[in-house]
Amino acid sequence: MPRVSSDTKRFLKRIDYTLLFASLAIILYSLIIISSATHINTPSEDRFWFVQRQGLFALINIVIAAIFLNFDYRGLQQYGKKLYILNLIMLVAVMLFGHAALGAQRWIQIGPISIQPSEFSKLIMIICMAAVLESRFGNLKSLRDLLPVAVYIGIPFILVLKQPDLGTSLVFMAIFVGMIIACGMPWKFFIGMIIAGLASFPFLWKFVLKDYQKMRLTVFLDPNVDPLGSGYHIIQSKIAIGSGMLFGKGIFQGTQSQLNFLPENHTDFIFAVVGEEFGFIGAVILLVLYLIVLWRGIQIAKEAADMFGRLLAVGITSMLAFHVLVNVGMTTGIMPVTGIPLPLMSYGVSALTTDILAIAILLNVNMRKQKLDFTI
């Protein structure tokens, strides 16, 4: 048998296996749930079309992520400006050439694949923001210092909001807040932003939010206001989760999901399928896996070798945490319905690619928290 070189052994030792295995476990969990949620509702004669497609792209992205680990993440910093321009081009292209679905123009068709640039935009902006903020650590002392950074992320934020994609826009805000706090912004400014956001709500309600977004907030307070329209999703989701009880009804046995009462059961509302078919225990297992991922993200940020790596880790952890919080919150009825997928779980090529590459960056930062004494 061929010997494993000492350099390879040292390389493998630096991998955060806790983060790696937790992420892979979520992906495997996802494939099981997607296979159950979609096996009687596919766009082809193949009952497992969705899960096969998700599994294929998961493997492709894992291979790409493994290759990326061989390169120093610090090389991303020099591409900050180019990635920012590329990001703006993609978002403008969606507005000009994208196709609409579910009331929003968010996708670009490339052959048989629908690409959602706003998903990639989140990770690109984390890299760009880390490159910009790296030299500003400790210098965000006033609103004047913060304004250029706010404008920098504000342009793609507005382009995404225009699609309209309020959910992804809110993710941008979570990333922005997490990274500027890590960069040393005083907490009083953070509190001031919250107060300003609450104070501006009447203006947003009247001039910014669209009618369907207003209805989502209304049905959040009382889903029965529109039980067959905007409130239908959350009513069915709560029924599905509640009916799962402690151990669930079993895979392929969830009535709300299998009989298509639960909309978007393989994408935004996949957590409801987990609750229905695997019960409280299955939902807790999934949440524990997410907790492990987020915990490792925080630790990697603390132990990063440089500020650029720390900001990357903070941005990615903020993004993942916000996704989990909002998605689980909306499916259980404690937050308004927003089109935010569950990381590594929800079906979707763009979202899955973004999540796997984000985990790869975290692994990369952790591997290089100490200077490597070998060349890769």
Side-chain angles (χ1 to χ4, degrees), residues 277-336:
E277 299 195 345
F278 289 94
F280 177 79
I281 300 298
V284 168
I285 290 173
L286 179 59
L287 292 177
V288 168
L289 290 172
Y290 279 123
L291 185 62
I292 292 172
V293 170
L294 297 177
W295 165 64
R296 289 310 308 152
I298 293 171
Q299 292 302 119
I300 290 170
K302 288 181 178 180
E303 300 170 0
D306 60 353
M307 183 51 59
F308 179 67
R310 177 175 298 179
L311 289 169
L312 284 176
V314 168
I316 290 170
T317 305
S318 299
M319 176 185 74
L320 296 175
F322 189 78
H323 268 261
V324 174
L325 176 66
V326 173
N327 184 278
V328 173
M330 76 175 186
T331 55
T332 54
I334 62 175
M335 297 191 75

Side-chain angles (χ1 to χ4, degrees), residues 346-359:
S346 295
Y347 173 82
V349 173
S350 300
L352 180 66
T353 301
T354 299
D355 295 336
I356 291 178
L357 293 181
I359 296 297

Side-chain angles (χ1 to χ4, degrees), residues 171-193:
V171 178
F172 273 67
M173 295 304 298
I175 292 169
F176 173 71
V177 171
M179 294 183 75
I180 60 176
I181 289 177
C183 202
M185 186 193 77
W187 277 94
K188 63 180 181 180
F189 289 112
F190 175 59
I191 296 173
M193 289 171 61

Side-chain angles (χ1 to χ4, degrees), residues 67-332:
I67 295 172
F68 171 72
L69 293 182
N70 289 276
F71 300 91
D72 196 324
Y73 69 89
R74 283 166 283 216
L76 293 171
Q77 188 169 3
Q78 63 181 312
Y79 296 106
K81 292 181 179 179
K82 294 178 181 178
L83 286 173
Y84 186 79
I85 294 172
L86 174 63
N87 190 29
L88 296 184
I89 292 173
M90 287 195 308
L91 294 177
V92 171
V94 172
M95 297 175 64
L96 298 177
F97 310 110
H99 68 87
L102 301 177
Q105 188 166 317
R106 306 174 188 172
W107 293 268
I108 294 178
Q109 192 71 30
I110 301 178
I113 305 173
S114 290
I115 301 297
Q116 188 175 352
S118 60
E119 285 292 334
F120 300 119
S121 181
K122 294 178 293 189
L123 188 56
I124 291 175
M125 282 311 303
I126 290 172
I127 298 171
C128 296
M129 284 279 290
V132 168
L133 290 173
E134 189 267 342
S135 61
R136 296 172 184 258
F137 177 71
N139 294 323
L140 297 180
K141 301 297 185 181
S142 66
L143 292 177
R144 184 177 181 180
D145 298 328
L146 191 61
L147 185 59
V149 183
V151 172
Y152 188 75
I153 196 172
I155 296 174
F157 170 85
I158 293 173
L159 290 175
V160 171
L161 190 62
K162 289 286 290 181
Q163 293 182 3
D165 189 350
L166 179 61
T168 301
S169 299
L170 294 175
V171 178
F172 273 67
M173 295 304 298
I175 292 169
F176 173 71
V177 171
M179 294 183 75
I180 60 176
I181 289 177
C183 202
M185 186 193 77
W187 277 94
K188 63 180 181 180
F189 289 112
F190 175 59
I191 296 173
M193 289 171 61
I194 295 177
I195 295 174
L198 294 174
S200 64
F201 185 76
F203 172 82
L204 296 174
W205 182 271
K206 187 171 180 62
F207 299 106
V208 178
L209 294 181
K210 298 183 180 297
D211 290 340
Y212 79 92
Q213 293 168 338
K214 294 178 182 179
M215 181 55 72
R216 284 184 178 181
L217 293 175
T218 302
V219 299
F220 162 63
L221 299 175
D222 183 9
N224 291 312
V225 169
D226 188 15
L228 298 179
S230 297
Y232 182 80
H233 290 67
I234 186 59
I235 291 173
Q236 297 301 322
S237 178
K238 290 166 72 174
I239 291 173
I241 293 173
S243 65
M245 301 180 71
L246 186 61
F247 296 104
K249 297 177 178 179
I251 190 169
F252 301 106
Q253 301 301 316
T255 54
Q256 300 302 115
S257 176
Q258 300 301 315
L259 299 178
N260 291 327
F261 287 109
L262 179 65
E264 310 301 328
N265 59 357
H266 62 304
T267 54
D268 294 347
F269 282 84
I270 195 169
F271 186 76
V273 183
V274 174
E276 182 178 32
E277 299 195 345
F278 289 94
F280 177 79
I281 300 298
V284 168
I285 290 173
L286 179 59
L287 292 177
V288 168
L289 290 172
Y290 279 123
L291 185 62
I292 292 172
V293 170
L294 297 177
W295 165 64
R296 289 310 308 152
I298 293 171
Q299 292 302 119
I300 290 170
K302 288 181 178 180
E303 300 170 0
D306 60 353
M307 183 51 59
F308 179 67
R310 177 175 298 179
L311 289 169
L312 284 176
V314 168
I316 290 170
T317 305
S318 299
M319 176 185 74
L320 296 175
F322 189 78
H323 268 261
V324 174
L325 176 66
V326 173
N327 184 278
V328 173
M330 76 175 186
T331 55
T332 54

